[in-house]
């Protein structure tokens, strides 16, 4: 090929653009061949994916370098480099790349016979409807009537000015830690936790106000069902002279929650997310497979999604659940009016906190997330879709960084002397590194769960202790 040099004595070390182009074309063809092979195998017999056949193992030898390489100093060559004979030759069997079987993950719809994946997909599509209810103009107007806007905006303005003054006092041109809209959500969070909503462990007796004891579940009435109460907890007064029963409907209708103003984490996250939307925030409702829900709010100032838990009055502390509560999690899915995103990597940073993700294959999970995004963005303008795709790409890089940092920390811990040298140095992180890191609390500062009584928290394994002593089978604790 013109412009190329394959002389053994050429020790330049620079292979040229044509060699790089040939290598890229070869790689693309090999990757296409791999994908076609896997597609054909999945169509004929999905069980073959679990046990590669002998031909597949033999073809993986194509990835190995030949034992007798070119003379030292010579340029590596692709199959396109030595003459042009290789362009007309085909290998005996296409390479299957067994070692790279899982890279990259290709979104794949659930198979018709895979009932578990189909069931999981239907559940996630149903859950994705939750944030669409927050776009009801009448509901948002009702919410604004319940919020003391003067108080919220006054506190937000004061905090914003303080943060601005702190940033200016550093003299290095840095931005404030949080923007004004962030301060509005922070003020709303404080008011919601301290003044508006009430946590319910066991509701008090409606007759004598004595404590009650859980008696299981009961069927909802038509009125309760109309407000989204798919299940109702039943409690009985502990006073034997009274013995009255109290019903605790688990409402999912946000308008009804504005009236009752009580519940557990499900009601708290649902109502608070809607109130954040009412004051102009972009909101996500985050569902966790291990029985917890919370909120994410987009910060235009930080240009990223911020973790907010109204039950704990927690702000931007995503490691709270694993390193504070001692909770293990498998799926954390964030739903918004713009789609759905698997944000598990934001909340599960270490392998010891991760549970097995066995609801569906990861390829199916990618397909479900993309399917929900396509549904939500079908009627958007081209500009809005392009903007959201850029946000998705940036968030994906952020989530990948969490994985890389976790691997790096694990490697550093096993390197001899690395931990001792870092601890003995006593070096503090610079402001630039702390401001770019969303982990506002060190692991030692992570608190156990604050909402709920001690028995309820211990029964759920969320009090930060691995060895739990109390288990109450009578408590129908659900989110």
């Amino acid at each position: 090929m013109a412009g190329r040099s394959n002389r053994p004595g050429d020790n330049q070390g620079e292979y040229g653009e044509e060699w790089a182009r040939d290598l890229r074309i070869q790689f693309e063809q090999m990757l296409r061949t791999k994908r076609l092979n896997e597609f054909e195998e999945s169509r004929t017999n999905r069980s073959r994916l679990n046990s590669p056949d002998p031909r597949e193992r033999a073809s993986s030898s194509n990835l190995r370098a030949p034992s007798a390489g070119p003379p030292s100093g010579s340029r590596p060559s692709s199959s396109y480099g030595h003459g042009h004979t290789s362009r007309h030759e085909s290998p005996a069997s296409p390479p299957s790349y067994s070692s790279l079987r899982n890279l990259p993950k290709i979104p794949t719809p659930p198979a018709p016979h895979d009932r578990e994946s189909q069931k999981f997909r239907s559940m996630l599509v149903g859950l994705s409807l939750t944030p669409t209810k927050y776009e009801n103009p009448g509901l948002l107007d009702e919410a604004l009537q319940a919020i003391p806007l003067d108080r919220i905006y006054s506190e937000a303005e004061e905090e914003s000015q303080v943060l601005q003054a702190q940033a200016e006092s550093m003299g290095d041109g840095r931005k404030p830690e949080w923007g004004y809209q962030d301060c509005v959500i922070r003020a709303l969070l404080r008011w919601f936790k301290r003044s508006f909503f009430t946590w319910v462990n066991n509701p008090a007796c409606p007759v004598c106000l004595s404590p009650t004891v859980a008696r299981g579940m009961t069927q909802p009435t038509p009125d309760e069902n109309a407000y989204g109460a798919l299940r109702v907890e039943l409690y009985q007064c502990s006073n034997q002279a009274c013995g009255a029963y109290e019903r605790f409907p688990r409402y999912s209708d946000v308008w009804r929650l504005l009236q009752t103003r009580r519940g557990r984490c499900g009601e708290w996250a649902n109502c608070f997310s809607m109130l954040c939307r009412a004051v102009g925030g972009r909101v996500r409702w985050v569902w966790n497979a291990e029985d917890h829900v919370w909120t994410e709010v987009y910060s235009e100032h930080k240009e990223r999604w911020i973790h907010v838990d109204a039950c704990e009055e927690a702000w931007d502390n995503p490691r709270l659940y694993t390193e504070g509560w001692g909770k293990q999690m498998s799926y954390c899915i964030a739903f918004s009016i713009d789609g759905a995103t698997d944000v598990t990597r934001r909340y599960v940073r270490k392998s010891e906190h991760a549970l097995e993700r066995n609801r569906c294959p990861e390829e199916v999970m990618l397909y479900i997330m993309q399917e929900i995004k396509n549904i939500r963005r079908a009627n958007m303008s081209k500009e809005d879709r392009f903007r959201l795709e850029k946000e998705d790409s940036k968030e994906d890089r952020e989530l990948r960084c969490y994985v890389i940092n976790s691997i790096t920390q694990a490697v550093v811990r096993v390197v001899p002397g690395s931990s001792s040298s870092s601890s003995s140095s006593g070096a503090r992180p610079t402001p630039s590194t702390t401001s770019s890191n969303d982990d506002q609390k060190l692991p030692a500062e992570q608190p156990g769960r604050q909402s709920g009584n001690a028995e309820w928290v211990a029964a759920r394994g969320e009090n930060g202790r691995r060895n739990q002593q109390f288990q109450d089978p009578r408590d129908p604790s659900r989110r």
Side-chain angles (χ1 to χ4, degrees):
M1 182 178 296
R4 295 185 58 181
S5 174
N6 293 323
R7 294 175 299 171
D10 188 2
N11 297 325
Q12 296 294 329
E14 297 179 359
Y15 305 137
E17 295 182 0
E18 292 188 6
W19 177 86
R21 178 180 60 82
D22 292 342
L23 192 62
R24 176 180 59 80
I25 294 175
Q26 181 188 16
F27 175 77
E28 291 176 351
Q29 289 185 347
M30 294 164 71
L31 186 60
R32 282 194 293 268
T33 302
K34 168 185 176 292
R35 291 176 174 175
L36 287 174
N37 287 344
E38 291 186 349
F39 178 72
E40 289 296 331
E41 290 177 1
S42 65
R43 289 181 56 186
T44 56
N45 187 4
R46 290 179 61 89
S47 64
R48 295 178 58 187
L49 294 176
N50 298 327
S51 56
D53 58 16
R55 181 180 68 85
E56 204 172 58
R57 291 192 295 268
S59 64
S60 64
S61 61
N62 294 333
L63 291 176
R64 301 170 185 167
S67 57
S72 61
S74 65
R75 165 184 312 183
S77 60
S78 66
S79 60
Y80 287 52
H82 294 288
H84 301 279
T85 58
S86 62
R87 298 189 180 187
H88 305 286
E89 297 177 358
S90 60
S93 59
S96 64
Y97 311 101
S98 300
S99 61
L100 301 178
R101 181 177 297 277
N102 296 325
L103 295 174
K105 298 288 186 183
I106 303 174
T108 306
H113 62 273
D114 189 352
R115 294 184 178 180
E116 289 299 322
S117 296
Q118 293 280 4
K119 181 179 178 181
F120 191 52
R121 171 191 170 274
S122 298
M123 184 189 69
L124 292 181
V125 172
L127 291 174
S128 69
L129 297 175
T130 299
T132 62
K133 303 172 184 177
Y134 307 153
E135 304 301 315
N136 185 333
L139 176 64
L140 298 180
D141 289 341
E142 187 79 16
L144 290 175
Q145 296 296 323
I147 301 174
L149 294 176
D150 291 341
R151 169 183 169 181
I152 298 299
Y153 290 136
S154 175
E155 291 183 8
E157 181 66 27
E158 181 179 356
E159 183 181 21
S160 178
Q161 292 178 358
V162 171
L163 294 175
Q164 180 69 36
Q166 289 177 347
E168 293 176 354
S169 67
M170 302 303 295
D172 53 4
R174 69 176 62 188
K175 296 195 305 181
E177 183 179 7
W178 301 106
Y180 175 74
Q181 183 63 22
D182 302 328
C183 295
V184 170
I185 302 297
R186 286 163 62 89
L188 183 69
L189 174 64
R190 292 189 295 268
W191 165 79
F192 187 87
K193 166 71 173 180
R194 304 174 188 181
S195 305
F196 185 72
F197 227 70
T198 302
W199 183 271
V200 175
N201 292 306
N202 289 21
C205 173
V207 178
C208 64
L209 302 180
S210 299
T212 59
V213 179
R215 295 304 185 193
M217 310 296 291
T218 187
Q219 292 296 322
T221 65
D223 289 342
E224 293 168 342
N225 204 357
Y227 290 116
L230 301 181
R231 63 183 188 272
V232 177
E233 299 174 6
L234 187 64
Y235 295 85
Q236 186 178 16
C237 180
S238 59
N239 185 357
Q240 296 182 355
C242 177
Y245 284 89
E246 170 68 354
R247 302 168 63 88
F248 179 37
R250 305 304 305 276
Y251 293 118
S252 61
D253 184 86
V254 191
W255 183 87
R256 183 60 175 167
L257 294 178
L258 287 176
Q259 318 304 319
T260 62
R261 302 185 181 185
R262 68 173 191 167
R264 301 198 190 104
C265 50
E267 292 88 348
W268 281 64
N270 198 10
C271 188
F272 179 74
S273 298
M274 185 271 297
L275 293 179
C276 290
R277 188 73 187 103
V279 296
R282 291 178 56 193
V283 175
R284 279 175 170 175
W285 178 79
V286 186
W287 169 85
N288 167 237
E290 285 67 46
D291 202 25
H292 191 51
V293 284
W294 59 89
T295 307
E296 285 185 349
V297 179
Y298 190 78
S299 170
E300 299 290 346
H301 184 76
K302 294 277 191 177
E303 296 183 350
R304 61 177 174 87
W305 288 94
I306 306 297
H307 157 255
V308 189
D309 192 322
C311 302
E312 306 295 295
E313 200 179 322
W315 172 268
D316 198 24
N317 189 12
R319 296 188 300 173
L320 169 67
Y321 310 116
T322 55
E323 299 181 29
W325 296 5
K327 190 178 182 70
Q328 292 181 305
M329 299 190 291
S330 56
Y331 295 94
C332 300
I333 312 299
F335 299 99
S336 72
I337 190 62
D338 301 322
T341 305
D342 184 355
V343 294
T344 309
R345 291 172 289 180
R346 177 174 293 132
Y347 299 94
V348 182
R349 307 291 181 86
K350 299 178 181 179
S351 59
E352 57 263 32
H353 298 140
L355 291 177
E356 183 181 3
R357 292 164 60 97
N358 54 11
R359 297 287 190 95
C360 69
E362 292 301 318
E363 293 84 358
V364 174
M365 188 67 187
L366 292 174
Y367 176 86
I368 298 172
M369 296 294 98
Q370 191 59 48
E371 180 185 22
I372 296 175
K373 288 180 182 178
N374 293 339
I375 294 174
R376 295 287 169 261
R377 302 176 185 182
N379 298 324
M380 290 185 179
S381 65
K382 182 178 179 180
E383 292 76 13
D384 288 339
R385 288 198 302 268
F386 181 72
R387 173 181 57 82
L388 292 174
E389 288 172 0
K390 288 182 63 177
E391 287 184 4
D392 293 341
S393 298
K394 184 175 181 179
E395 183 177 28
D396 186 64
R397 291 194 298 269
E398 174 193 342
L399 297 176
R400 289 175 185 269
C401 285
Y402 295 144
V403 178
I404 296 173
N405 292 339
S406 176
I407 296 174
T408 303
Q409 293 174 6
V411 172
V412 169
R413 284 197 297 268
V414 300
V415 173
S418 61
S419 59
S420 60
S421 61
S422 61
S423 60
S424 61
S425 61
R428 296 184 177 180
T430 61
S432 60
T433 59
T434 56
S435 61
S436 61
N437 188 358
D438 75 332
D439 293 332
Q440 300 299 321
K441 295 180 181 297
L442 299 175
E445 299 174 329
Q446 298 286 357
R449 181 161 190 166
Q450 306 299 312
S451 55
N453 58 29
E455 293 81 5
W456 184 82
V457 173
R460 293 167 59 92
E462 296 172 350
N463 58 353
R465 293 192 295 268
R466 297 291 179 148
N467 299 322
Q468 308 298 336
Q469 299 178 355
F470 181 86
Q471 297 290 337
D472 187 359
R474 300 175 301 167
D475 190 356
S477 56
R478 302 267 181 188
R479 66 171 171 269

